[in-house]
Amino acid sequence: MKGNSVLFILEDGRFSGQHSYLVSLCKHLNKLSASVLIPIQDSEESAEKYKKSEINLLQIDIKRPSVKRNYLVTYIFYFLRDVLKIRKIIKTNKYDFVYASGGAWQIKGILAGILTRKKIIWHLNDSNTLLIIKIIFFFLSNFVDAVVYASKKTKKYYENFSSCNKSKIISSPIEDKFFLSESKNFSQENLKVVSVANINPVKNLEMLIDIASHFNDIEFDIIGPVYDSQKKYFAKLEKKIKDMNLGNFNFLGKKYDINSALMDYDIYICSSYFESSPISVREAMAMGLPILSTDVGDVKELLSEGGGLICNNLEEFVFNLGKFLNGQLDLNSMSYKSSNFAKNNFSGTKCAEKHIELFNTISL
């Protein structure tokens, strides 16, 4: 395995949990020469993260897909050009492995890997996509050497569409800076709730607003950017907050130092409709935050040792948050269980070791 090289390809330059995933993974792949290829558009924050971590970063002009008509037309028009650009980079740098990261829609890297006859790994990290994407995945997975699923739920969602014989579930790692060196101490007074998310309908932030309407004495903050494609949705959320006359709900925008920001909070809420293995929940657990979450992805498994609770509807969120407020749930005990589970399961080293094992099996 020594001396082999891998090119990780992510076709969306905007910073997200998937970029955090690659940063943490690549930092621990000591036995491999790892490079990351991303689009140059909208990638300033992502590029800074890779460069700060001393990861070899390649940026090129390729188009990302979108359901918006103008974006989709542009994506299709430049599709072949983009595949050939990626193919040229793979051939020029003589990579041994091509790793398409970020979901079943990441097909340009797959096609470029096929054209260069490289070993190909396809990383899937979602549990909801368009049927056409699943059909494309079904056909292209014939040419893939291995599929990496981010969670059991992702595997269950895609496995009947996979034509690849080799697969492995590898949970997402988080950066070392999120792991607490000492326990947090909480009080039941002046509780602050946080959620970290790129603002979009999948995150079901309407639910979070409804939860906040039941607790005037708890502050609710959302950390995350609003991309141009989601401005209408964001305006809808702002109108809902205004109509409900909520003074305890805030959108804080993008934060560049999430771990420091999370230090100010007591409880993390994930209200998403769909997730696979949400990085933001894992980061919050590592920071010692008790979790309240919808039953998405592998979150139920993450909370199996008592680091939080699954809430299936608005009433359960309100009920359990009320128990935190009146002291029926011990924040300090749950915080310890949350951070302890994270320390034992979310390290970049463990994720890298599992990837090395996979690379070894397909290089034989």
Side-chain angles (χ1 to χ4, degrees), residues 3-44:
N4 283 350
S5 59
V6 56
L7 178 66
F8 293 90
I9 302 171
L10 185 54
E11 296 176 34
D12 192 341
R14 299 173 300 177
F15 187 74
S16 63
Q18 194 56 34
H19 287 289
S20 293
Y21 168 87
L22 289 181
V23 168
S24 183
L25 173 58
C26 291
K27 284 171 65 175
H28 293 87
L29 284 175
N30 300 322
K31 296 180 180 180
L32 276 175
S33 174
S35 300
V36 177
L37 173 67
I38 64 173
I40 197 167
Q41 296 89 348
D42 304 317
S43 64
E44 292 83 2

Side-chain angles (χ1 to χ4, degrees), residues 105-118:
W105 61 271
Q106 305 271 343
I107 60 177
K108 291 178 183 175
I110 298 296
L111 291 171
I114 293 170
L115 291 173
T116 52
R117 299 183 180 181
K118 300 297 181 180

Side-chain angles (χ1 to χ4, degrees), residues 86-320:
I86 299 171
R87 172 181 174 271
K88 182 178 180 180
I89 288 173
I90 295 170
K91 286 191 67 176
T92 300
N93 293 279
K94 299 180 181 179
Y95 293 105
D96 301 295
F97 299 96
V98 172
Y99 189 110
S101 181
W105 61 271
Q106 305 271 343
I107 60 177
K108 291 178 183 175
I110 298 296
L111 291 171
I114 293 170
L115 291 173
T116 52
R117 299 183 180 181
K118 300 297 181 180
K119 299 289 185 180
I120 303 169
I121 301 95
W122 204 336
H123 176 259
L124 303 181
N125 67 337
D126 65 281
S127 56
N128 182 57
T129 193
L130 299 172
L131 178 60
I132 184 62
I133 298 296
K134 294 176 79 172
I135 293 172
I136 292 171
F137 170 71
F138 171 76
F139 286 106
L140 290 184
S141 60
N142 278 290
F143 304 95
V144 170
D145 295 278
V147 175
V148 172
Y149 298 105
S151 68
K152 291 178 181 178
K153 184 160 284 191
T154 297
K155 181 176 181 179
K156 183 178 180 181
Y157 183 73
Y158 279 105
E159 63 182 347
N160 290 334
F161 283 82
S162 177
S163 304
C164 179
N165 294 324
K166 186 165 299 210
S167 68
K168 193 177 186 71
I169 297 173
I170 303 179
S171 298
S172 303
I174 58 174
E175 295 183 68
D176 295 339
K177 65 182 181 181
F178 284 93
F179 293 101
L180 284 181
S181 57
E182 56 186 42
S183 300
K184 286 173 68 76
N185 290 310
F186 299 86
S187 68
Q188 304 322 122
E189 299 179 0
N190 302 316
L191 290 181
K192 296 177 68 177
V193 171
V194 67
S195 188
V196 179
N198 293 335
I199 310 302
N200 67 74
V202 172
K203 305 302 179 181
N204 189 20
L205 298 178
E206 294 91 340
M207 166 92 81
L208 204 50
I209 295 171
D210 288 334
I211 297 169
S213 70
H214 289 79
F215 299 96
N216 293 329
D217 47 356
I218 297 180
E219 180 181 333
F220 291 75
D221 291 340
I222 306 294
I223 298 173
V226 182
Y227 293 119
D228 290 343
S229 59
Q230 300 300 335
K231 284 185 177 179
K232 286 185 179 180
Y233 175 66
F234 182 60
K236 176 183 174 183
L237 296 176
E238 288 188 308
K239 184 178 185 303
K240 182 178 176 73
I241 294 168
K242 184 178 180 181
D243 290 346
M244 298 177 75
N245 196 29
L246 295 183
N248 62 331
F249 199 98
N250 309 290
F251 288 102
L252 303 185
K254 183 187 296 184
K255 296 281 185 181
Y256 290 95
D257 198 1
I258 297 295
N259 59 311
S260 295
L262 291 177
M263 289 294 294
D264 295 332
Y265 295 94
D266 305 293
I267 299 165
Y268 187 93
I269 288 184
C270 170
S271 55
S272 295
Y273 287 120
F274 304 104
E275 297 283 356
S276 174
S277 183
I279 291 279
S280 58
V281 170
R282 292 164 176 269
E283 291 173 345
M285 291 180 70
M287 294 296 296
L289 294 185
I291 309 296
L292 294 180
S293 176
T294 47
D295 187 8
V296 290
D298 63 354
V299 174
K300 183 181 287 186
E301 184 179 340
L302 304 186
L303 304 182
S304 61
E305 295 184 8
L309 297 168
I310 294 296
C311 303
N312 294 301
N313 50 50
L314 173 62
E315 291 72 23
E316 291 186 11
F317 273 109
V318 172
F319 177 72
N320 287 316

